[in-house]
Amino acid sequence: MNDYGLSIWGNSNFTIDGGGRVCLNTDFKPALIDMINDIRQDGIRGPILLRFPHLIKKQIVEIYSNFQRAIKEFDYNGNFSAVYPLKVNQYPGFVKNLVKIGNPYKYGLEAGSKAELLLAMAYNNFEAPITVNGFKDKELINIGFIAAEMGHNITLTIEGLSELKGIIETAKERFKPKPNIGLRIRLHSSGSGAWAKSAGINSKFGLTSTELIEAMNLLKEANLLDKFTMIHFHIGSQINEIHPLKKALTEAGNIYAELRKMGAKNLKAINLGGGLAVEYSQMKENSLRNYTLREYANDVVFLLKTISNQKKVEEPNIFIESGRYVSANHAVLVAPVLELFSQEYSEDKICLKKTNPPLITELYDLYQNIKPTNALEYLHDSIAHMESVLTLFDLGYADLQDRSNAEILANLIMKKAVAMLGNKQNFSDLSKIQNEVQERYLVNFSLFQSLPDFWGLKQHFPIMPLEKLDERPTRSASIWDITCDSDGEIPFDIDKNQLFLHDIDIQNENYYLGFFLVGAYQEVLGMSHNLFTHPTEATITLKENGGYEISDVLESQSVLDILEDMDYDVYEIRDTLNERIEKSELVDEKQKKHILGELYLFLNDNGYLKTIG
Ligand SMILES: *Cc1c(COP(=O)(O)O)cnc(C)c1O
């Protein structure tokens, strides 16, 4: 059975039932397709983003329990805290659930801008920490002070000395409660992978050792040294190897010890930033992450204990800000297939003439006589024949009917051959042929809106059909979205993405693809290319009796809302359309009324396609 690499990327969150359907891997194993059908019963069409709060909970519990276990195991004297960085996903359908689930752990929020900080101040659990990273102006610093005055446990992390000066000035101007101060350190060790720019000598962020000393002096002078509680670093997102993290942590541990010795007596925490990686690969050969959370927690606790003991300083509290690891799993985008491009290549469309060019007759013979023992040979022959027919066509020696027959026959032979050869025989060039004969699946979603990191970074996301997993998929597939941009394609890729899908008759059956691990970064980075907006979303909560509840269904924005977001005057649009219809001399009054009614419906509906899917 093809499990689409579920055992590699699935994190035990999903399973396939006896009927070949993707299910949640919970006690009662509800099928995703049932959820989609329930939601569609209310007339909703187009792509649907499913949110699973139980998968948010699973990640949070995993993080806390691993660190708590490691702390116990190594008899570590510091404690563990974590915050969720809002930039990874700020959608309310996610954040509100996260905050609720994180409450017993005092799981906090990290903010990187004024808007995120204000959001954190409104939603963060009481007593849970808030950290603020990123560049700050006087206003942002002021908001941080207001958070402290409200009673939030907030730490402003300084990215540069001018920010520290801003804080010192603000502290003089404002009321008694003050935020804690963190210093972001600039490490000489850097991260790895596509996001490695966050650390290293040339990174965008952090204080050099000279600046750290200067910062200590400034804090002392301003009588704020007791507010300096944390040092912070972040070596980048999706850290696939543990080694760079260990190097950075060693460096940070030593800086912590030095600063303590210099008199930073309230410096009690090291914040390792985010970066815990998610396994996105569907093929074993391409798997990315080389460590487990257990190993990560053990390494962090053990290293910090060793350094503190060596340098004879108090063991620091451990603080992390991983976002991708917490949010990626919780969301699955489900989108209907609208069309298979080679569907027109069916046997009944072959229209042989009384006398055909010899190549066509041969193609027909190949098609009639292909069997497993000769499939590869016939496949090669058919591709060569079709190419010859195309050449003849260009030279004027074959007509359009000949060409159509050749294309249909070659396509049917490929289909048969691939099905016959299957996975049984490992022909080295079979995958090459599959690459050539890939079927294009047109899918009702926008890659720019829902998988922007595929477009921008070629980040792979697991894709699998929600049903038919008990049937062998025979078509090597490339995915086309409905934007009219040629970048809106996920190609069949022999090395990275060998996606096989089923040969389906889309006129008579629905076929849905699930795009997994899309809960981190994709939603807010998504762009409205062609004016396709955030898909309809729904939250699925599991009930104790085995059922599930669908809630918070938010339909994709209407066309008018999108235009309004872009600052169009929607009244002007409506009036102009109205006027133009009124003035039309091609239709009578009754027809005008009808047309206007239709137009209003379209304007108030979303722009995704409605045909079948
Ligand atoms: C982006 C960011 C994070 C989150 O990184 P993930 O890879 O999503 O865990 C944490 N801390 C800081 C400072 C960041 O900029």
Side-chain angles (χ1 to χ4, degrees):
M1 186 167 75
N2 185 343
D3 76 345
Y4 291 87
L6 199 53
S7 59
I8 306 164
W9 58 265
N11 209 10
S12 312
N13 293 336
F14 303 96
T15 183
I16 296 168
D17 72 6
R21 310 182 308 163
V22 185
C23 303
L24 291 177
N25 190 19
T26 52
D27 290 348
F28 294 91
K29 309 210 178 337
L32 269 56
I33 188 70
D34 289 341
M35 302 166 191
I36 293 297
N37 286 333
D38 287 349
I39 295 168
R40 286 170 59 95
Q41 244 177 13
D42 296 331
I44 285 170
R45 292 293 178 271
I48 298 171
L49 185 90
L50 299 177
R51 294 192 198 278
F52 297 107
H54 76 283
L55 295 180
I56 308 174
K57 181 168 179 183
K58 184 172 167 231
Q59 297 305 97
I60 296 177
V61 170
E62 209 180 301
I63 287 179
Y64 278 89
S65 56
N66 265 291
F67 272 94
Q68 278 152 3
R69 179 200 44 76
I71 282 175
K72 215 165 156 192
E73 204 168 305
F74 292 99
D75 196 19
Y76 190 77
N77 289 315
N79 60 33
F80 173 76
S81 315
V83 290
Y84 170 76
L86 281 165
K87 76 159 188 278
V88 184
N89 190 333
Q90 304 95 336
Y91 273 77
F94 173 72
V95 171
K96 288 188 180 182
N97 277 305
L98 172 109
V99 168
K100 196 160 69 189
I101 294 163
N103 189 29
Y105 299 92
K106 298 206 171 65
Y107 187 39
L109 295 172
E110 185 262 6
S113 64
K114 289 175 203 175
E116 287 182 356
L117 177 53
L118 289 162
L119 188 62
M121 285 157 68
Y123 284 102
N124 197 40
N125 287 313
F126 194 63
E127 290 188 339
I130 295 178
T131 58
V132 187
N133 301 311
F135 296 110
K136 297 165 200 68
D137 63 0
K138 199 76 192 292
E139 251 180 55
L140 180 53
I141 292 171
N142 250 297
I143 302 174
F145 273 74
I146 293 172
E149 289 155 8
M150 281 165 70
H152 278 299
N153 165 10
I154 181 172
T155 307
L156 300 181
T157 304
I158 303 311
E159 310 275 354
L161 284 179
S162 59
E163 284 180 13
L164 182 56
K165 289 171 190 158
I167 288 190
I168 291 171
E169 269 173 47
T170 310
K172 285 183 199 147
E173 296 158 11
R174 294 203 63 95
F175 311 107
K176 192 158 168 273
K178 311 243 177 305
N180 292 320
I181 297 169
L183 298 181
R184 182 156 180 171
I185 56 179
R186 184 174 298 223
L187 299 170
H188 69 73
S189 33
S190 56
S192 64
W195 293 271
K197 291 184 281 291
S198 310
I201 290 290
N202 296 319
S203 89
K204 196 165 142 192
F205 304 107
L207 303 176
T208 63
S209 38
T210 318
E211 287 170 327
L212 281 174
I213 296 171
E214 204 178 329
M216 283 278 290
N217 291 334
L218 285 171
L219 284 165
K220 237 184 266 175
E221 269 168 40
N223 248 335
L224 284 172
L225 193 57
D226 62 329
K227 282 285 154 192
F228 171 36
T229 55
M230 178 186 283
I231 56 168
H232 173 254
F233 69 89
H234 170 68
I235 63 170
S237 204
Q238 186 70 2
I239 307 171
N240 287 321
E241 294 165 18
I242 192 91
H243 179 67
L245 191 266
K246 282 163 82 170
K247 252 183 89 188
L249 194 57
T250 308
E251 194 181 338
N254 279 296
I255 291 175
Y256 159 81
E258 292 297 318
L259 292 173
R260 291 260 333 170
K261 287 182 174 174
M262 282 172 64
K265 61 176 189 321
N266 279 347
L267 171 58
K268 293 222 161 88
I270 296 189
N271 180 344
L272 334 182
L276 270 172
V278 166
E279 183 55 72
Y280 290 99
S281 177
Q282 287 185 273
M283 290 164 72
K284 239 198 177 62
E285 311 84 80
N286 298 323
S287 56
L288 302 164
R289 196 180 55 189
N290 81 347
Y291 60 92
T292 60
L293 181 57
R294 187 188 172 87
E295 185 183 348
Y296 176 90
N298 283 354
D299 282 346
V300 169
V301 172
F302 178 76
L303 253 176
L304 288 179
K305 186 168 181 87
T306 312
I307 297 170
S308 310
N309 289 356
Q310 270 167 6
K311 293 239 162 176
K312 300 203 167 38
V313 289
E314 215 174 278
E315 289 160 22
N317 294 328
I318 297 164
F319 208 100
I320 72 164
E321 301 178 329
S322 265
R324 184 188 297 276
Y325 194 81
V326 175
S327 62
N329 283 277
H330 95 281
V332 180
L333 179 79
V334 178
V337 172
L338 294 169
E339 200 178 318
L340 271 62
F341 277 79
S342 72
Q343 193 118 60
E344 71 268 29
Y345 298 130
S346 60
E347 202 180 88
D348 60 338
K349 298 249 170 73
I350 302 173
C351 192
L352 293 178
K353 298 188 282 194
K354 262 205 193 101
T355 47
N356 296 285
L359 280 169
I360 304 283
T361 319
E362 265 181 60
L363 270 172
Y364 195 75
D365 282 346
L366 294 175
Y367 176 54
Q368 295 296 318
N369 298 315
I370 188 168
K371 49 181 181 277
T373 47
N374 62 24
L376 193 64
E377 185 194 331
Y378 280 26
L379 180 59
H380 285 142
D381 290 350
S382 69
I383 292 172
H385 286 5
M386 186 182 71
E387 276 165 9
S388 304
V389 173
L390 290 176
T391 310
L392 288 180
F393 179 78
D394 289 347
L395 295 171
Y397 295 117
D399 63 19
L400 197 58
Q401 187 62 60
D402 295 331
R403 181 176 163 167
S404 156
N405 288 336
E407 284 174 356
I408 296 172
L409 282 166
N411 218 281
L412 290 172
I413 292 166
M414 287 170 198
K415 249 197 227 182
K416 264 195 182 175
V418 173
M420 283 172 178
L421 296 168
N423 305 333
K424 284 171 294 193
Q425 290 146 308
N426 203 3
F427 294 107
S428 63
D429 55 354
L430 185 59
S431 49
K432 211 171 87 207
I433 288 158
Q434 280 161 340
N435 199 25
E436 278 166 30
V437 302
Q438 52 183 277
E439 173 64 283
R440 289 169 291 167
Y441 287 73
L442 180 70
V443 183
N444 200 357
F445 83 122
S446 157
L447 200 149
F448 300 88
Q449 175 59 238
S450 294
L451 302 177
D453 276 345
F454 179 81
W455 174 71
L457 298 164
K458 289 284 163 275
Q459 167 70 57
H460 177 78
F461 292 90
I463 304 171
M464 72 190 288
L466 297 191
E467 292 182 283
K468 287 187 182 288
L469 296 161
D470 49 355
E471 291 171 34
R472 199 162 64 79
T474 52
R475 309 303 314 264
S476 42
S478 60
I479 306 284
W480 285 36
D481 77 359
I482 54 169
T483 66
C484 48
D485 190 313
S486 55
D487 277 345
E489 183 198 356
I490 303 175
F492 179 84
D493 178 341
I494 304 180
D495 299 321
K496 283 210 186 115
N497 178 34
Q498 284 195 15
L499 180 67
F500 289 91
L501 295 176
H502 298 89
D503 200 17
I504 34 154
D505 176 8
I506 212 66
Q507 305 307 325
N508 293 309
E509 58 184 328
N510 286 329
Y511 189 63
Y512 297 96
L513 296 183
F515 298 83
F516 292 79
L517 301 177
V518 297
Y521 295 102
Q522 304 318 299
E523 289 187 61
V524 78
L525 289 178
M527 50 208 128
S528 312
H529 199 16
N530 270 153
L531 300 185
F532 291 114
T533 60
H534 192 265
T536 297
E537 64 167 88
T539 299
I540 310 290
T541 330
L542 300 173
K543 292 204 285 204
E544 284 193 358
N545 65 8
Y548 55 83
E549 190 188 344
I550 299 171
S551 65
D552 301 303
V553 179
L554 274 179
E555 229 185 301
S556 185
Q557 264 189 318
S558 75
V559 172
L560 275 183
D561 286 346
I562 306 163
L563 294 173
E564 189 163 29
D565 275 2
M566 300 186 78
D567 286 335
Y568 277 99
D569 179 344
V570 292
Y571 296 103
E572 184 178 270
I573 291 179
R574 261 195 304 226
D575 290 348
T576 317
L577 289 171
N578 232 330
E579 215 173 287
R580 289 191 173 168
I581 290 171
E582 284 301 333
K583 277 197 194 139
S584 167
E585 284 164 13
L586 303 171
V587 281
D588 65 29
E589 285 309 309
K590 206 170 146 214
Q591 289 167 332
K592 281 178 188 171
K593 251 206 182 111
H594 177 82
I595 294 170
L596 264 176
E598 277 183 317
L599 209 51
Y600 280 168
L601 276 180
F602 291 133
L603 285 169
N604 288 298
D605 204 344
N606 72 66
Y608 284 101
L609 301 186
K610 297 279 166 56
T611 41
I612 306 171

